């Protein structure tokens, strides 16, 4: 009976949209005592309310503390234990992001709450490590476009992933896109980014329209990120996106087929990288990805999404040349490889099977 009353309480207090947003936390029972603002003012409520997709982090606290964490549980010892759990479960950069989110919640409430930890910023400090990512080429994206998944969930995952690749929107924004976002002439797609509240406009790719409509009436409205990653890796593997690549992730060098390293952000990275390879100005790519600082394009943020290595200029190589080395190298080449002194050498007809063929250097993954 008490559980029924609790269920009615949060159902009465949450809008249908909020019930959808916090469905994971509701399923795990964190909303059983929800009563509005007071619930949101406890640590676990404040964290879940701001980061509904991070319920597993509260699970980590619960595992360490034995209950959903209150402000009185935010001690140095508890934070150290939670960080140790995070280090064991997530990649270093993910731990850094999560620690920054926990840190921000504590900092926002430090003046009004009685928080035992005085060193939370130091305890939650985590280093950023270098990460190499992959992107999909236009040809690989075409293979996914032509692929036909057999299950409703995989069709949903393909639809969202293709939206990422074709318009560069974030996963959370792709879930909300529909034909309503198209301009009256059908040339552009416009939406307001859920994360930044900036309006973003992107030219419409010829394949985009079909992915703005659910593939089935029973297509799920959302998909957990781990399930989404599993689905897109499955159809990338099925499409033969299996070129061997070497990347640096989770603090170590890893080698494997390309599909293995595809994840939720790969579509967005592919969008930015392919535009860059087509010489679209970085400021324009930033506008299409919703990267802003104030009202100006934030190209530094956009650059992080472009999976190509910076090229050394000819001047850089010239700076390392020893004076006179070019002439010495030329003389040495002439001595070791003398040529025939025929003015009409090009007139000699060498049979095709005797011609020297220099094999092309195999292309390597830019990421």
């Amino acid at each position: 009976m008490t559980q029924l009353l609790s269920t009615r309480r949060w159902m009465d207090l949450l809008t249908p949209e909020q019930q959808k947003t916090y469905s994971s936390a509701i399923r795990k029972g964190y909303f059983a005592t929800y009563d509005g603002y007071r619930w949101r003012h406890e640590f676990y409520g404040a964290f879940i309310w701001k980061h509904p997709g991070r319920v597993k982090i509260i699970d980590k606290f619960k595992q360490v503390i034995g209950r959903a964490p209150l402000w009185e549980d935010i001690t140095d010892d508890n934070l150290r234990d939670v960080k140790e759990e995070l280090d064991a479960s997530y990649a270093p950069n993910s731990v850094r992001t999560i620690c920054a989110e926990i840190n921000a919640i504590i900092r926002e409430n430090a003046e009004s709450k009685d928080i035992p930890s005085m060193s939370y910023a130091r305890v939650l400090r985590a280093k950023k490590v270098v990460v190499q990512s992959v992107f999909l080429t236009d040809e690989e994206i075409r293979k996914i476009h032509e692929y036909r998944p057999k299950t409703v969930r995989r069709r949903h995952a393909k639809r969202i992933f293709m939206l990422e690749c074709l318009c560069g929107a974030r996963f959370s924004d792709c879930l909300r896109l529909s034909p309503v976002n198209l301009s009256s002439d059908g040339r552009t797609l416009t939406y307001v980014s859920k994360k930044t509240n900036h309006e973003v406009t992107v030219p419409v790719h010829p394949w985009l329209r079909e992915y703005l409509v659910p593939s089935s009436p029973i297509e799920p409205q959302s998909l957990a990120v781990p399930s989404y990653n599993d689905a897109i890796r499955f159809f990338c593997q099925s499409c033969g996106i299996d070129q061997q690549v070497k990347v640096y992730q989770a603090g170590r060098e890893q080698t494997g087929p390309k599909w293995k390293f595809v994840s939720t952000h790969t579509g967005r990275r592919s969008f930015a990288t392919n535009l860059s390879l087509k010489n679209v100005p970085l400021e324009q790519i930033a506008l299409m990805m919703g990267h802003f600082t104030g009202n100006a394009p934030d190209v530094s943020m956009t650059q992080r999404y472009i999976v190509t290595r910076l090229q050394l200029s000819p001047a850089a190589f010239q700076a390392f040349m020893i004076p006179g080395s070019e002439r010495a190298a030329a003389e040495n080449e002439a001595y070791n490889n003398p040529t025939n002194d025929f003015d009409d050498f090009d007139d000699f007809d060498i049979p095709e099977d005797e011609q020297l063929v220099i094999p092309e250097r195999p292309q390597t993954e830019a990421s």
Side-chain angles (χ1 to χ4, degrees), residues 28 31 147 158 171 210 240 295 307:
K28 293 188 175 186
F31 274 78
Y147 176 71
K158 177 195 168 181
F171 175 77
E210 70 178 87
N295 292 320
V307 189

Side-chain angles (χ1 to χ4, degrees), residues 12-163:
D12 291 340
L13 295 174
L14 295 177
T15 66
E17 183 66 27
Q18 289 172 334
Q19 292 179 33
K20 185 192 307 181
T21 300
Y22 299 104
S23 58
S24 179
I26 290 170
R27 284 196 305 270
K28 293 188 175 186
Y30 289 116
F31 274 78
T33 57
Y34 182 75
D35 56 2
Y37 289 110
R38 186 169 57 180
W39 179 90
R40 301 182 214 172
H41 291 166
E42 277 298 347
F43 174 78
Y44 77 94
F47 187 87
I48 290 173
W49 195 258
K50 189 165 186 177
H51 304 289
R54 297 282 200 192
V55 180
K56 287 186 177 180
I57 307 308
I58 298 301
D59 292 343
K60 295 291 184 186
F61 272 96
K62 194 173 181 179
Q63 181 180 339
V64 168
I65 300 168
R67 66 179 182 186
L70 307 176
W71 290 113
E72 62 195 63
D73 298 315
I74 307 302
T75 66
D76 288 350
D77 286 340
N78 285 340
L79 290 176
R80 288 191 188 95
D81 292 342
V82 169
K83 186 173 183 301
E84 187 174 325
E85 290 290 327
L86 294 175
D87 289 335
S89 305
Y90 295 92
N93 283 348
S94 295
V95 173
R96 184 172 182 267
T97 299
I98 294 166
C99 285
E101 292 168 351
I102 297 171
N103 199 340
I105 294 292
I106 298 174
R107 186 173 60 251
E108 289 170 6
N109 292 272
E111 294 184 4
S112 59
K113 307 296 182 185
D114 186 12
I115 302 173
S117 175
M118 301 297 292
S119 308
Y120 61 88
R122 178 175 54 79
V123 174
L124 294 172
R125 186 177 298 129
K127 293 182 178 180
K128 182 177 182 179
V129 299
V130 174
V131 173
Q132 292 177 319
S133 302
V134 299
F135 78 99
L136 300 183
T137 64
D138 284 339
E139 176 60 23
E140 289 167 334
I141 294 171
R142 182 191 62 76
K143 290 181 179 180
I144 297 173
H145 171 62
E146 295 174 350
Y147 176 71
R148 296 294 178 260
K150 295 182 179 179
T151 68
V152 174
R153 284 183 173 273
R154 285 177 182 161
R155 286 196 293 270
H156 172 66
K158 177 195 168 181
R159 186 173 75 85
I160 300 304
F161 186 69
M162 285 299 295
L163 286 173

Side-chain angles (χ1 to χ4, degrees), residues 23 70 112 126 134 140 156 198 207 219 230 234 257 270 286 294 308 314 322 340-341 363:
S23 58
L70 307 176
S112 59
V134 299
E140 289 167 334
H156 172 66
H198 276 103
W207 300 339
E219 181 180 292
D230 288 343
F234 176 86
S270 301
T308 54
I322 300 172
N340 294 316
D341 190 17
Q363 295 182 354

